[in-house]
Amino acid sequence: MERVELHCHSKYSEMDGLASPYDIVKLVQKEGMPAVAITDTGNILMFPELEWATSFDDCNVKPIFGMEAYVVDDYEKAVYNYNGQDISVFIAVDVETTGFSAKKNDIIEIGAVKVCNGEVVDRFSILVNPGKNISKFIEKITGISNEMVSDAPDIKVALREFCKFAGDNILVAYNANFDIRFLKVAANKAGVDYCPTYIDTLMLCRYVYPEFQIYKLDSVCEELGINIQHCHRAVDDATACGMIFSKITERLKIKNVAIEYVNDNIEHCSKTFEKSAIYHCTVLLKNSKGKKIIYNMISQEEKSKATKGRVIFSLRELCNNRGNLLLGSGCKAGLLYKAIINDKSEEEIEEIAKRFDFIEVQPHMNNKFLLEQEIYSYIQTEQDLIDINQRLISLGERLGIPVVATSDAHYLHKEDLLSRKILRAYRGFDEDDDTDLHFRTTKEMLEEFFYLPDEKARKIVITNTNKIANMCEVIDFLPEGKHYPYNENDSIEIRRLCESKLWKLYKDNVPEEIEERLNWELEAIHNTNTEFAFIYLHRLIENLNVRPFEINTRGCAGNTLVCFLLGISDINPIQYNLSPYFVFGFNKIKEADIDLNFSTNMRKKAIAIYRNCDGISSTVLASTEICVSEEMAYVAVEDYQKNNNVIFSEDKVKKIVIDLQNVYEDKRVNPSGIVLIPQGDEVQDYTPLAFTKDKRAITYFNYYYRLDNCLFKQDILSHFCFDMLEKLEEITGDMPDELTYCEPEIMELFFDFNGVMGCEELPDFMVQGLIEILKKAMPKNFDELVKVFALCYGTDVWSDNAELLLEQGKADLSEIISSRDDMYDFMINKGIDEATAYLITEQVRKGEWAYDHSNRYSEYIGILQDAAVPEWFIWSCCKIRYLFPRAQAISYVKSNWRLGWYKIHYSEQYTKIVEDFISIS
């Protein structure tokens, strides 16, 4: 039997992991492991890719969905052992120590003040001889040297003196558990029974002053106007703490909260989540309910906004859902590991351990950084790290909690370490960390626990990891099929609307060609169950009361007769000879993609109206991802070589660049996409919510990775061409209702007059290179102008292609390929059947011929040659990497033509508007 990895990071792990979920699953399958949990830091973004990676028929790996969550320990209290004492009199105390461990380090100073009704009435300060050397590191922090304590009493004497001073009064301390822990250990050494009532002012500050940005002692004093003399000297810190508590009690009176009820009222509200101590916790989903719970927790808007997009969980809330979630103790940043290295009491450690379903132990040298930290002076050797692991194992055995060996892998193979070091350097980390965090095989993991008996090692490495994996059900990431809005009569309604428009245009004399075209398109729309999308847009445009020229379509939307009849597009596809195949596919099974452009103001209104359409429960903006690009990866490698004075071989550089590419950086909003959640469903049935800086809700998962197979997205964009038209109509009071697009004075704007062209200030003609194409192609009419526009917006369509054909006289402007429809029409005119012409065009427009990705290239070349298609046409096809849609070119040129009308008839106003928009953009 092989082990199961329950703690592994992918490329989605906050610029900290390298491997894709797919590559992780491939390795797991190769090693014969039955399952794998990917637990990225702070997010669940890999869910879609993990589900896809394990969906293949030959994959036997069970996916376990999880995360390494950021958590706040909201089990912490502010008031301990309270028995009704008077809080108007209290002892504020602070201790200075030689380290974090109350057992292994020592008190070197106790300072305290007695406060009565807000006034300091007595002080206590005593240095303590620890009986051992005080390090320079501690001396620097505390200001206390070996010489200063050389004649001081030992802790037994000092503790008894302090107890006399404190009496039975309540103790108050800042981060009180630290001070009280040391005092209790000292009391035990002195033979004193010590169980005081004490209050933590740090916890109270977070409760009563949630508006504070920082909760360090000196920062809180500054906020409250308290003067602190010598920070990190005990009596001064105690005095400051006393003054803080006095102010807190005043605020508690205003809140009408008595001290005995403080613990019940304290909440880690969203405003203080990011300011609290943050720990790591492994969270695994046991079932679909667990998935919904995590989705809802991530979607809590207040937390997401307060923590600037970083999702931080309440540990209490996670524990309350342990029936559907499994909680692991996490890595060295976990609450349990921190409690052990900070030497909390055994009682505290056991209480923390009981909050987890499994305790994690990792290769001890994962934590070798602790050996270099002076504050942990009692962790000095490799054996000390092993002892920590053995203590965790014993703890689990004592409490009956499964202990599992996890690798905390951040990459797959040992040789990937350098790539991660470069990634971390790129992120700004200075340390040259060579900790080995590769994905361990079963054999490697057993070797990591060489210090355990074989049976025990196999139990934590193999038996228990499989046990935890078996507790997790196979979860469907998304519900099956399309989940689109549905209205029962949509098929009838869309036909009624189209036929009503036809009757207005033709009365009873609708041409047979148009009737056939309409029936064909309506069947294609019905095949994909998207009638609702066309009806929604029709109603949207009616409600907005926009004129046809106040919107334009993107992509191939203008190729549809249905869009024209519903008023979604002002392009008649029959007039411009636009094929519906590019919208619906030849077999009528392709889903139409209808994207619209509005002015900025109109777009805001459009989105508000769209959200209230029938059949929609809610809408959310689509998100995409920002990942490390090839260019960024090369920059990271170059910077690392320069900063570390090293030179890598060409092969090594290529390997590192491949490792770094596509590592996740951040989310970004799709500029236009509105995702529709059908009636009866909620967003969290499909994805958590995330939030932009301006508080807009977006899909947590990248819409284009799996969500697009399930939910419908409508693109509604803004285009400043319409902003300009809107402003020009406002200031001139004029807007031509109809243009023929044959106006010679407007066409002249696109002619070259001694190097000066009047179109250079038209927004869509400001694109670099378009003016040069105009000068060389010299279009003579609107249709040729459309071709020039398409030439510019394609890829490898003009340069070293159409440009050469024109220069060499092999083809004229009317013949060359500029758009998909140009190519299709050319082949139809050569007698090639519609299906073949469409399939060839689809391959060429995607660049499959240029990239040599076509598996039918030879066959199609033969068809073209048999049809006497000229060689220049075939040559041109082989260079094209992307072809622009003719419909979009028509739509954009029409808008700019209208702006040209203003340039001619209102030149002064037009120039002013152009200047304003250029300065804004």
Side-chain angles (χ1 to χ4, degrees):
M1 182 185 289
E2 299 292 332
R3 79 181 190 94
V4 174
E5 179 57 73
L6 297 173
H7 190 142
C8 173
H9 298 265
S10 79
K11 65 176 183 177
Y12 291 98
S13 203
E14 292 199 345
M15 289 282 283
D16 200 29
L18 294 179
S20 70
Y22 178 74
D23 287 338
I24 292 169
V25 169
K26 277 204 308 184
L27 178 61
V28 168
Q29 172 103 340
K30 177 185 173 186
E31 293 296 329
M33 297 178 181
V36 66
I38 299 181
T39 54
D40 287 322
T41 308
N43 70 67
I44 57 171
L45 290 165
M46 57 74 204
F47 276 24
E49 192 172 342
L50 177 58
E51 188 267 347
W52 169 78
T54 54
S55 65
F56 297 98
D57 291 339
D58 62 348
C59 180
N60 301 315
V61 176
K62 173 182 172 180
I64 300 173
F65 296 95
M67 68 186 301
E68 184 176 50
Y70 293 116
V71 299
V72 166
D73 181 15
D74 47 355
Y75 282 98
E76 289 182 308
K77 297 185 293 185
V79 181
Y80 297 79
N81 309 322
Y82 183 69
N83 294 310
Q85 299 101 312
D86 180 10
I87 63 169
S88 65
V89 180
F90 60 87
I91 303 296
V93 62
D94 182 72
V95 300
E96 300 299 333
T97 70
T98 59
F100 285 149
S101 173
K103 295 177 183 176
K104 297 173 183 175
N105 295 120
D106 301 281
I107 294 174
I108 53 177
E109 184 180 30
I110 304 174
V113 294
K114 185 174 185 178
V115 179
C116 183
N117 295 317
E119 297 292 331
V120 175
V121 297
D122 202 357
R123 296 175 184 272
F124 174 86
S125 179
I126 189 168
L127 290 168
V128 181
N129 189 332
K132 60 184 73 168
N133 188 56
I134 297 173
S135 72
K136 292 294 182 183
F137 175 72
I138 295 299
E139 180 181 341
K140 183 177 179 181
I141 292 175
T142 64
I144 299 172
S145 65
N146 288 298
E147 291 75 17
M148 292 170 65
V149 300
S150 60
D151 296 325
D154 65 14
I155 189 58
K156 294 178 182 179
V157 174
L159 193 280
R160 292 192 188 100
E161 290 296 314
F162 169 71
C163 288
K164 287 178 187 177
F165 175 80
D168 293 330
N169 292 299
I170 293 173
L171 299 186
V172 171
Y174 207 78
N175 192 20
N177 281 316
F178 176 86
D179 301 270
I180 301 302
R181 193 179 302 123
F182 271 89
L183 290 172
K184 282 184 174 181
V185 170
N188 187 53
K189 292 177 181 176
V192 175
D193 185 18
Y194 193 66
C195 187
T197 297
Y198 65 97
I199 297 173
D200 184 358
T201 51
L202 171 59
M203 286 294 296
L204 282 176
C205 277
R206 289 181 178 143
Y207 171 51
V208 300
Y209 301 117
E211 69 275 15
F212 288 2
Q213 295 300 310
I214 302 173
Y215 290 97
K216 291 168 62 177
L217 180 65
D218 54 346
S219 300
V220 171
C221 286
E222 185 177 346
E223 290 277 3
L224 297 176
I226 296 170
N227 184 31
I228 183 169
Q229 295 294 321
H230 302 98
C231 192
H232 291 304
R233 285 308 301 269
V235 73
D236 295 304
D237 285 0
T239 303
C241 176
M243 295 300 97
I244 290 171
F245 184 66
S246 295
K247 290 185 178 290
I248 286 173
T249 55
E250 293 172 11
R251 181 70 74 95
L252 288 174
K253 287 178 184 176
I254 295 172
K255 285 176 172 277
N256 198 28
V257 177
I259 198 71
E260 59 262 39
Y261 300 117
V262 163
N263 289 338
D264 296 330
N265 282 271
I266 282 184
E267 294 178 359
H268 282 267
C269 63
S270 61
K271 289 182 180 178
T272 62
F273 255 57
E274 68 173 349
K275 303 162 198 169
S276 303
I278 306 298
Y279 302 96
H280 291 190
C281 169
T282 304
V283 180
L284 306 180
L285 309 189
K286 287 180 70 174
N287 50 42
S288 295
K289 287 183 179 178
K291 181 186 77 169
K292 189 71 176 287
I293 288 165
I294 288 296
Y295 281 15
N296 284 328
M297 290 174 75
I298 288 174
S299 301
Q300 290 180 43
E301 181 178 355
E302 289 77 17
K303 290 181 184 176
S304 295
K305 286 189 294 188
T307 56
K308 301 171 184 174
R310 192 188 199 196
V311 177
I312 299 175
F313 293 93
S314 151
L315 181 58
R316 185 186 295 271
E317 190 175 357
L318 287 172
C319 288
N320 288 342
N321 287 287
R322 280 170 65 182
N324 301 297
L325 305 172
L326 292 175
L327 304 186
S329 60
C331 60
K332 71 263 184 191
L335 184 61
L336 184 58
Y337 199 94
K338 288 273 191 182
I340 287 178
I341 64 174
N342 289 333
D343 224 2
K344 289 193 173 184
S345 70
E346 205 62 34
E347 181 184 1
E348 289 176 288
I349 289 170
E350 287 191 5
E351 196 62 34
I352 290 169
K354 289 174 184 176
R355 298 171 194 163
F356 300 106
D357 298 288
F358 57 94
I359 292 173
E360 296 180 60
V361 287
Q362 296 173 348
H364 63 278
M365 289 304 285
N366 278 22
N367 304 319
K368 65 179 183 179
F369 74 98
L370 292 171
L371 304 178
E372 301 167 4
Q373 296 201 1
E374 292 186 74
I375 198 68
Y376 295 114
S377 57
Y378 45 89
I379 304 175
Q380 298 182 341
T381 69
E382 190 174 336
Q383 185 59 48
D384 291 331
L385 297 175
I386 291 172
D387 290 344
I388 295 171
N389 272 1
Q390 290 187 314
R391 189 174 174 190
L392 285 165
I393 293 167
S394 297
L395 177 66
E397 291 173 342
R398 187 166 68 250
L399 298 178
I401 301 172
V403 179
V404 299
T406 62
S407 69
D408 193 21
H410 284 68
Y411 42 85
L412 296 184
H413 309 290
K414 284 185 177 181
E415 58 268 26
D416 300 335
L417 169 61
L418 177 60
S419 297
R420 182 169 180 262
K421 287 170 70 173
I422 291 172
L423 178 66
R424 287 175 65 79
Y426 181 68
R427 288 180 61 197
F429 288 96
D430 292 330
E431 83 278 9
D432 191 18
D433 184 8
D434 61 352
T435 303
D436 179 12
L437 295 175
H438 81 278
F439 191 105
R440 262 72 168 190
T441 65
T442 302
K443 181 175 180 293
E444 287 175 321
M445 190 61 96
L446 287 169
E447 290 171 351
E448 292 287 351
F449 292 91
F450 62 88
Y451 48 85
L452 296 177
D454 183 64
E455 184 179 347
K456 184 176 288 189
R458 293 186 69 82
K459 183 175 182 179
I460 69 170
V461 171
I462 300 173
T463 307
N464 286 353
T465 57
N466 277 271
K467 178 181 178 180
I468 297 298
N470 291 336
M471 294 170 69
C472 300
E473 299 174 7
V474 175
I475 298 171
D476 291 327
F477 165 64
L478 285 173
E480 288 188 12
K482 302 279 189 181
H483 289 255
Y484 287 179
Y486 174 76
N487 296 296
E488 188 175 356
N489 297 318
D490 278 353
S491 294
I492 298 171
E493 178 67 2
I494 193 171
R495 180 174 288 278
R496 184 191 70 78
L497 291 168
C498 290
E499 290 180 347
S500 174
K501 180 65 174 180
L502 282 178
W503 190 87
K504 289 179 182 178
L505 293 172
Y506 298 101
K507 298 296 189 273
D508 293 326
N509 300 310
V510 180
E512 184 178 347
E513 173 197 8
I514 291 179
E515 282 191 344
E516 290 178 356
R517 171 79 173 254
L518 176 61
N519 289 331
W520 190 96
E521 289 191 15
L522 289 176
E523 183 182 347
I525 292 169
H526 185 69
N527 287 344
T528 55
N529 297 312
T530 52
E531 289 94 342
F532 71 91
F534 292 84
I535 293 172
Y536 286 173
L537 290 176
H538 166 74
R539 290 175 182 165
L540 173 65
I541 289 163
E542 278 195 334
N543 288 334
L544 289 171
N545 196 28
V546 294
R547 293 162 291 187
F549 52 78
E550 289 182 293
I551 57 172
N552 65 22
T553 55
R554 298 167 63 90
C556 295
N559 288 50
T560 64
L561 179 63
V562 169
C563 279
F564 175 68
L565 296 176
L566 295 179
I568 297 169
S569 167
D570 69 339
I571 298 173
N572 184 338
I574 308 297
Q575 175 188 345
Y576 288 101
N577 194 30
L578 300 172
S579 170
Y581 299 154
F582 296 113
V583 183
F584 303 107
F586 188 78
N587 295 320
K588 297 180 281 192
I589 58 173
K590 182 181 175 184
E591 196 172 288
D593 188 13
I594 311 299
D595 304 342
L596 298 184
N597 281 336
F598 294 87
S599 69
T600 301
N601 292 332
M602 201 62 76
R603 179 178 183 264
K604 291 177 183 177
K605 295 177 183 177
I607 291 173
I609 292 170
Y610 205 86
R611 285 173 175 155
N612 296 314
C613 291
D614 294 338
I616 300 175
S617 70
S618 62
T619 63
V620 60
L621 297 176
S623 74
T624 58
E625 295 171 354
I626 303 172
C627 298
V628 175
S629 66
E630 182 181 20
E631 182 181 4
M632 289 165 60
Y634 272 110
V635 169
V637 176
E638 288 170 10
D639 287 349
Y640 187 88
Q641 291 181 108
K642 180 180 177 182
N643 294 335
N644 291 275
N645 196 27
V646 293
I647 298 176
F648 299 138
S649 68
E650 186 178 340
D651 287 344
K652 181 170 281 190
V653 169
K654 286 180 181 178
K655 190 264 184 202
I656 296 168
V657 167
I658 291 170
D659 287 345
L660 300 189
Q661 268 183 271
N662 298 318
V663 168
Y664 173 83
E665 282 198 88
D666 202 357
K667 293 186 190 72
R668 66 178 172 190
V669 185
N670 178 288
S672 60
I674 303 170
V675 179
L676 311 186
I677 308 301
Q679 198 73 47
D681 292 352
E682 57 183 31
V683 177
Q684 287 84 355
D685 292 326
Y686 306 92
T687 172
L689 288 173
F691 296 87
T692 62
K693 290 179 181 178
D694 56 357
K695 303 177 184 178
R696 291 179 295 165
I698 61 175
T699 59
Y700 182 87
F701 297 123
N702 180 352
Y703 172 79
Y704 297 97
Y705 207 143
R706 313 293 279 171
L707 286 180
D708 58 341
N709 293 329
C710 187
L711 297 173
F712 185 84
K713 175 177 67 68
Q714 178 61 59
D715 285 319
I716 297 177
L717 302 95
S718 59
H719 190 6
F720 68 87
C721 190
F722 293 109
D723 293 337
M724 292 175 67
L725 285 170
E726 197 175 76
K727 194 68 177 176
L728 284 164
E729 182 176 18
E730 178 187 324
I731 63 175
T732 64
D734 197 0
M735 172 70 83
D737 287 337
E738 295 294 336
L739 290 172
T740 64
Y741 303 103
C742 296
E743 290 82 1
E745 71 279 12
I746 298 178
M747 190 65 217
E748 284 183 5
L749 294 173
F750 303 94
F751 294 161
D752 183 1
F753 292 104
N754 298 319
V756 178
M757 302 190 74
C759 65
E760 291 185 7
E761 292 178 342
L762 297 178
D764 288 311
F765 284 80
M766 294 178 184
V767 176
Q768 186 177 5
L770 182 49
I771 296 298
E772 290 305 311
I773 298 176
L774 277 169
K775 291 178 179 179
K776 292 186 177 182
M778 295 184 291
K780 299 179 289 298
N781 53 48
F782 181 86
D783 289 343
E784 290 188 349
L785 186 58
V786 168
K787 287 187 74 94
V788 168
F789 192 90
L791 282 169
C792 176
Y793 283 86
T795 304
D796 291 349
V797 182
W798 170 254
S799 297
D800 197 31
N801 194 336
E803 181 180 18
L804 293 179
L805 294 175
L806 290 177
E807 288 176 356
Q808 295 167 5
K810 292 183 177 179
D812 59 33
L813 184 58
S814 64
E815 293 177 303
I816 60 172
I817 303 169
S818 69
S819 67
R820 304 166 194 183
D821 301 83
D822 289 348
M823 183 175 173
Y824 175 81
D825 291 346
F826 193 97
M827 288 186 284
I828 294 296
N829 291 334
K830 289 293 184 179
I832 295 173
D833 67 273
E834 290 183 338
T836 303
Y838 167 72
L839 292 172
I840 292 174
T841 304
E842 281 293 282
Q843 286 198 354
V844 171
R845 69 104 174 170
K846 296 174 185 176
E848 291 184 16
W849 286 19
Y851 289 112
D852 196 24
H853 290 167
S854 171
N855 58 2
R856 300 181 67 180
Y857 175 76
S858 298
E859 175 191 348
Y860 287 149
I861 291 294
I863 291 172
L864 293 176
Q865 290 172 340
D866 290 345
V869 170
E871 284 301 316
W872 67 260
F873 184 91
I874 297 172
W875 173 85
S876 180
C877 289
C878 292
K879 287 183 167 290
I880 292 168
R881 296 181 188 272
Y882 170 72
L883 268 176
F884 202 67
R886 183 193 291 167
Q888 184 168 347
I890 293 169
S891 192
Y892 276 53
V893 173
K894 279 179 135 188
S895 301
N896 283 268
W897 190 277
R898 187 168 291 273
L899 283 170
W901 182 88
Y902 277 106
K903 181 175 174 65
I904 290 167
H905 296 281
Y906 295 96
S907 60
E908 185 178 334
Q909 293 92 330
Y910 181 84
T911 300
K912 176 67 170 64
I913 292 298
V914 167
E915 290 173 352
D916 290 346
F917 275 87
I918 287 176
S919 65
I920 292 170
S921 62

